[in-house]
Amino acid sequence: MEVKKKILILGNSHLVVFGFRGELIEQLIKERYDVVVSFPNGVFGEGEETSKKYGCRFIETHIERRKTNPLSDFKLIRDYVKLIRSEKPDVVLAYTVKCDTYGGIACRITKTNFIPNITGIGKGLAEGGLVEKILILLYKLALKKSNIVFFQNQSDKQYFFEKGIKFDKCEVLPGSGVNLKKFQPLDYPDSNPVIFTYIARVMKAKGIEQFIDAARALKGKAEFHICGYCEENYKNIIKKEQADGIVIYHGLVNNVIDYERNSHCIVLPTFHPEGVSNVLLEAAALARPVITTDRVGCRETVDDKVTGLLVREKDSQDLIEKMKEFLDMSTETRRNMGLNGRKKMMNEFDRLIVVNAYMSAINSL
């Protein structure tokens, strides 16, 4: 059977490409598209192995995820141009800031169809100043000739409009969506003590300090678990808090569901500029109540007091009060919160919505 078109997918990690877009890749291959994925192979070196399992090809691209270095960034544009000219894709899909901007510029240079996904405005745009101005310029260059721009929330779309970043067509998706078959409802634990679990990179912008403040204040009234890789020199802080019996740290875990199974509530007090938090989507799909920040990228996933609780940004005391409120609830109330969250995911955040939007955009080219 004849192959339709070639799709090149750019991302900054294995998780971004296969963790959140694996279902799209499966659908593309099912419909006889030739799929090539490109991202940094990372410490686990899973790029080539996973690609073979899916039936696509892997080409490694080196990206400095956390740093802005003009020389390495210019090299990334050059690498993308070289990759596109070599592979000659019919369309390039991109995710995350550097892939969206430098991949988009490379597509303009090579006159290649381009579909970016704005997975959150990111730290650079959120903090303003010179970095914001540079990024706005890069986005203007990258997105102007794009076929369609996918956003993950209305606020980010409005930000791009206000900053004069122009493109012909856009659509707001329900984040990356959540795989409702993989993340099935878990039985709710009828046990004590209540377990609050933080699942995210251990870093300031994800609200780890607010979580630790709450754990200190409520010591003895609940257990506080942390799952995630330590960044920004938090390793020693977490080690001390664990030695003092404040938290239980599990490190970076391979199967987060194993930890959510015993959790009564997933807590993410982030103030990082999220697109839509995948941690919250997955937790709700598993029928777990969530406590998270009343901000863009988080509030979209929660119906306050129905599927979880919303807290004020960077406000440890408000987080403590909301955790107390949760502790005062009956097991049945908590269980129903989780089930309501599952229903919300089924109605609004099914990953098939995202896959279908992409297939429609690609098939129309």
Side-chain angles (χ1 to χ4, degrees):
M1 192 179 293
E2 185 180 355
V3 173
K4 284 185 177 179
K5 298 174 183 175
K6 181 183 285 189
I7 313 295
L8 173 61
I9 300 177
L10 307 178
N12 68 3
S13 70
H14 179 279
L15 178 65
V16 162
V17 173
F18 288 111
F20 304 139
R21 281 93 209 176
E23 296 83 0
L24 173 60
I25 293 170
E26 288 175 340
Q27 187 62 35
L28 286 166
I29 291 172
K30 181 180 178 181
E31 296 194 19
R32 304 296 297 176
Y33 284 95
D34 180 13
V35 180
V36 180
V37 299
S38 187
F39 55 87
N41 215 3
V43 294
F44 299 112
E46 297 173 315
E48 196 159 338
E49 180 183 345
T50 308
S51 297
K52 286 179 181 177
K53 290 179 182 177
Y54 275 85
C56 57
R57 286 192 297 119
F58 170 71
I59 299 174
E60 184 169 15
T61 305
H62 297 281
I63 300 175
E64 291 276 357
R65 289 182 63 188
R66 307 287 173 216
K67 299 176 183 177
T68 301
N69 182 319
L71 291 177
S72 62
D73 289 349
F74 178 78
K75 182 178 180 299
L76 181 58
I77 297 175
R78 187 189 67 186
D79 289 346
Y80 278 152
V81 168
K82 183 178 178 181
L83 174 62
I84 292 168
R85 284 177 172 163
S86 172
E87 289 297 321
K88 297 180 175 58
D90 293 283
V91 60
V92 173
L93 314 182
Y95 303 88
T96 68
V97 176
K98 288 194 175 184
C99 302
D100 286 338
T101 53
Y102 301 129
I105 292 170
C107 283
R108 284 194 69 179
I109 291 171
T110 58
K111 294 181 171 59
T112 304
N113 290 318
F114 181 55
I115 302 177
N117 188 305
I118 310 302
T119 57
I121 63 171
K123 183 179 178 182
L125 290 177
E127 292 186 350
L130 179 60
V131 174
E132 181 190 33
K133 291 178 181 178
I134 293 171
L135 282 173
I136 288 172
L137 175 60
L138 289 173
Y139 272 118
K140 286 180 177 180
L141 292 171
L143 303 188
K144 187 174 182 181
K145 297 294 183 180
S146 56
N147 298 81
I148 183 171
V149 179
F150 285 124
F151 289 91
Q152 297 202 353
N153 60 65
Q154 288 286 350
S155 179
D156 289 355
K157 172 185 168 182
Q158 185 61 33
Y159 172 89
F160 273 59
F161 282 173
E162 290 173 355
K163 297 300 180 180
I165 301 170
K166 296 180 180 179
F167 35 82
D168 290 335
K169 187 178 179 183
C170 71
E171 184 177 342
V172 178
L173 301 176
S176 299
V178 61
N179 186 326
L180 296 171
K181 291 182 179 179
K182 178 180 178 181
F183 294 92
Q184 294 274 356
L186 300 171
D187 290 337
Y188 195 77
D190 186 10
S191 58
N192 281 309
V194 166
I195 295 176
F196 292 109
T197 302
Y198 169 102
I199 301 172
R201 284 175 286 152
V202 179
M203 56 187 286
K204 185 173 183 178
K206 293 286 186 177
I208 187 60
E209 293 179 8
Q210 286 71 37
F211 185 79
I212 291 173
D213 287 344
R216 288 176 184 148
L218 299 173
K219 182 181 178 181
K221 296 180 180 179
E223 282 187 7
F224 297 82
H225 293 237
I226 298 173
C227 298
Y229 177 76
C230 273
E231 296 191 10
E232 302 174 350
N233 300 316
Y234 275 102
K235 193 171 290 185
N236 290 335
I237 295 172
I238 298 299
K239 187 176 180 180
K240 180 182 182 303
E241 297 298 331
Q242 181 158 262
D244 291 343
I246 304 298
V247 302
I248 299 171
Y249 180 54
H250 302 285
L252 178 63
V253 300
N254 288 325
N255 189 359
V256 72
I257 296 176
D258 291 341
Y259 296 87
E260 291 175 294
R261 188 181 311 280
N262 298 319
S263 301
H264 296 78
C265 181
I266 306 305
V267 182
L268 185 65
T270 179
F271 47 93
H272 181 75
E274 312 275 353
V276 169
S277 168
N278 291 291
V279 167
L280 298 176
L281 296 183
E282 291 169 3
L286 293 169
R288 287 296 176 264
V290 299
I291 298 178
T292 191
T293 320
D294 186 6
R295 63 162 290 133
V296 171
C298 298
R299 69 168 71 101
E300 292 87 349
T301 70
V302 182
D303 292 334
D304 194 26
K305 301 187 184 302
V306 177
T307 71
L309 300 172
L310 292 173
V311 301
R312 291 189 294 272
E313 191 172 320
K314 303 179 186 179
D315 192 331
S316 296
Q317 190 56 45
D318 192 38
L319 179 59
I320 292 165
E321 293 304 318
K322 295 300 166 57
M323 285 182 166
K324 285 180 179 178
E325 183 179 337
F326 188 84
L327 289 171
D328 288 339
M329 294 176 186
S330 67
T331 298
E332 191 61 26
T333 299
R334 298 174 195 152
R335 180 182 289 110
N336 286 335
M337 265 191 165
L339 293 173
N340 289 336
R342 171 69 185 187
K343 291 175 185 174
K344 183 176 178 67
M345 295 303 105
M346 293 173 67
N347 292 333
E348 301 176 30
F349 289 94
D350 189 337
R351 185 162 287 169
L352 290 178
I353 298 170
V354 178
V355 171
N356 290 338
Y358 266 93
M359 295 309 300
S360 176
I362 292 167
N363 288 329
S364 68
L365 295 177

